Amino acid sequence: MARMKTVGADGVADAADATDTAGGGLAGRTGQGADRADRADHRADQPGEDSGAAGVKSARRAVELLEAFGANHAWLSLTDLHHHTGIPRSSLHGLLRTLRDVGWIESDDAGTRFRLGVRALICGTAYLDRDPVMPYATDALERLRDQVGYTCHYARLNGPDIVYLQTRESRTSAHLVSRIGRTLPAHATALGKVLLAELADDELTAVLPKHLAALTGLTITDREALRSELAFIRERGYSTERGQSSADVACVAAVVPFRIPGTDAMSCSMPADRVTDAELQKVGSLLREVSEDLSQQLRRAGIR
């Protein structure tokens, strides 16, 4: 883990801007034009704000920064973060220093690049630790994995994406693994599509992004084609996909219907070049049974 650097706000800014200019980081405003623009941004940030409003804005910007770090796997510089968030660099100085000092982010040895720190992991783990669904879901995943022999996942719909909450790996495969906390577009995954199929038409319209991004050449990116598939999923009771989220992976998923509409689903991932359509259907039927059983357990436990 990178060691934490204690660098003054001006020192961080000067070093980051100098490094970006020399190293060709993400596009940002540079030179005298950037200085004038940042000063204008800073002035626009100040007048008429009472301490409460300023505090709310700072909190919102801190969250935006953390989400920018979460969406990018690389180290990010001051200019990178300005590019991603639009937050004035004059405001970024203090925000980065504060987040670093409390452990939410860490800096490289030069103090010019930043990434998420260990506090983010601690807080993310606490979410799972306090979710009453997780012990039941973990047990169901283990039983399912032992029955089918494939990697099994548990995920939740979050806006237009799904978030993986738990995974149990196949005992024979080391590469079909989705990390806990990973997000993927719902329209591109079996897990996501079975949960999108739970939504009413107006809810679906509201949650889908304007542009359906393609993860592979097989990802459904046409809205009408997606709606047609969701109608078929509702009739069949489970969803399948082959090569739509990852070229070498096939997946089948079923909703866990302890809430209405369903928010959680279970899936099995398997090598796309080795699994037949008949096996996908067989696993899909089994998934429906396991998911329904899990749903009944959750309801009996009073979990909604």
Side-chain angles (χ1 to χ4, degrees), residues 102-177:
V102 297
W104 277 90
I105 64 172
E106 57 191 29
S107 66
D108 62 10
D109 290 341
T112 60
R113 296 289 188 273
F114 307 88
R115 67 183 180 187
L116 284 177
V118 71
R119 297 290 303 176
L121 174 62
I122 294 171
C123 197
T125 302
Y127 173 84
L128 294 176
D129 289 344
R130 288 159 176 75
D131 189 330
V133 173
M134 286 299 100
Y136 297 91
T138 300
D139 180 65
L141 285 179
E142 290 176 349
R143 287 187 283 108
L144 180 63
R145 186 267 313 275
D146 291 342
Q147 285 182 270
V148 299
Y150 297 121
T151 298
C152 299
H153 309 290
Y154 192 91
R156 183 165 293 160
L157 189 66
N158 181 44
D161 302 318
I162 53 143
V163 183
Y164 288 87
L165 300 181
Q166 190 57 275
T167 293
R168 282 297 178 266
E169 298 178 40
S170 162
R171 300 191 189 281
T172 60
S173 175
H175 68 282
L176 293 179
V177 180

Side-chain angles (χ1 to χ4, degrees), residues 25 42 49 63 70 78 89 110 112 128 155 162 201 206 208 214 219 228 233 239 254 265 284 294 304:
H42 187 63
E49 286 191 334
V63 171
L78 195 75
R89 280 174 285 189
T112 60
L128 294 176
I162 53 143
D201 195 60
L208 285 177
T219 306
S228 178
I233 291 169
S239 65
L294 173 58
R304 294 290 188 271

Side-chain angles (χ1 to χ4, degrees), residues 2-32:
R3 60 189 177 90
M4 308 293 281
K5 297 287 290 184
T6 304
V7 183
D10 291 338
V12 171
D14 292 342
D17 288 340
T19 302
D20 286 340
T21 302
L26 290 178
R29 297 178 296 184
T30 59
Q32 293 180 351

Side-chain angles (χ1 to χ4, degrees), residues 166-201:
Q166 190 57 275
T167 293
R168 282 297 178 266
E169 298 178 40
S170 162
R171 300 191 189 281
T172 60
S173 175
H175 68 282
L176 293 179
V177 180
S178 292
R179 293 163 298 160
I180 294 172
R182 179 187 182 191
T183 63
L184 284 176
H187 70 273
T189 66
L191 280 163
K193 285 187 288 187
V194 80
L195 289 170
L196 291 176
E198 289 283 296
L199 302 179
D201 195 60

Side-chain angles (χ1 to χ4, degrees), residues 2-288:
R3 60 189 177 90
M4 308 293 281
K5 297 287 290 184
T6 304
V7 183
D10 291 338
V12 171
D14 292 342
D17 288 340
T19 302
D20 286 340
T21 302
L26 290 178
R29 297 178 296 184
T30 59
Q32 293 180 351
D35 292 338
R36 287 195 297 270
D38 274 343
R39 285 196 294 271
D41 284 341
H42 187 63
R43 286 195 300 271
D45 234 13
Q46 303 302 317
E49 286 191 334
D50 59 32
S51 59
V56 170
K57 178 177 284 188
S58 293
R60 183 178 296 113
R61 285 176 167 175
V63 171
E64 289 173 1
L65 282 175
L66 293 174
E67 290 181 341
F69 283 117
N72 291 273
H73 300 297
W75 291 88
L76 298 178
S77 71
L78 195 75
T79 300
D80 294 337
L81 290 164
H82 172 70
H83 175 84
H84 284 297
T85 67
I87 299 173
R89 280 174 285 189
S90 54
S91 299
L92 281 171
H93 305 164
L95 288 169
L96 289 172
R97 184 176 63 247
T98 299
L99 289 172
R100 184 187 55 203
D101 289 347
V102 297
W104 277 90
I105 64 172
E106 57 191 29
S107 66
D108 62 10
D109 290 341
T112 60
R113 296 289 188 273
F114 307 88
R115 67 183 180 187
L116 284 177
V118 71
R119 297 290 303 176
L121 174 62
I122 294 171
C123 197
T125 302
Y127 173 84
L128 294 176
D129 289 344
R130 288 159 176 75
D131 189 330
V133 173
M134 286 299 100
Y136 297 91
T138 300
D139 180 65
L141 285 179
E142 290 176 349
R143 287 187 283 108
L144 180 63
R145 186 267 313 275
D146 291 342
Q147 285 182 270
V148 299
Y150 297 121
T151 298
C152 299
H153 309 290
Y154 192 91
R156 183 165 293 160
L157 189 66
N158 181 44
D161 302 318
I162 53 143
V163 183
Y164 288 87
L165 300 181
Q166 190 57 275
T167 293
R168 282 297 178 266
E169 298 178 40
S170 162
R171 300 191 189 281
T172 60
S173 175
H175 68 282
L176 293 179
V177 180
S178 292
R179 293 163 298 160
I180 294 172
R182 179 187 182 191
T183 63
L184 284 176
H187 70 273
T189 66
L191 280 163
K193 285 187 288 187
V194 80
L195 289 170
L196 291 176
E198 289 283 296
L199 302 179
D201 195 60
D202 58 335
E203 295 172 323
L204 183 63
T205 299
V207 78
L208 285 177
K210 292 181 180 179
H211 172 69
L212 300 180
L215 300 187
T216 73
L218 297 177
T219 306
I220 297 176
T221 57
D222 179 79
R223 286 173 175 270
E224 290 310 310
L226 177 62
R227 289 179 184 275
S228 178
E229 178 158 350
L230 295 181
F232 178 64
I233 291 169
R234 291 185 192 104
E235 291 182 10
R236 185 171 59 177
Y238 63 89
S239 65
T240 63
E241 62 96 352
R242 189 188 293 269
Q244 293 185 32
S245 60
S246 181
D248 59 347
V249 176
C251 190
V252 58
V255 68
V256 182
F258 71 106
R259 295 184 180 124
I260 300 176
T263 59
D264 297 9
M266 301 174 65
S267 74
C268 295
S269 295
M270 52 206 82
D273 60 350
R274 298 209 304 265
V275 67
T276 64
D277 289 342
E279 187 169 6
L280 279 177
Q281 294 173 11
K282 180 179 178 181
V283 174
S285 297
L286 177 61
L287 260 173
R288 286 187 64 182

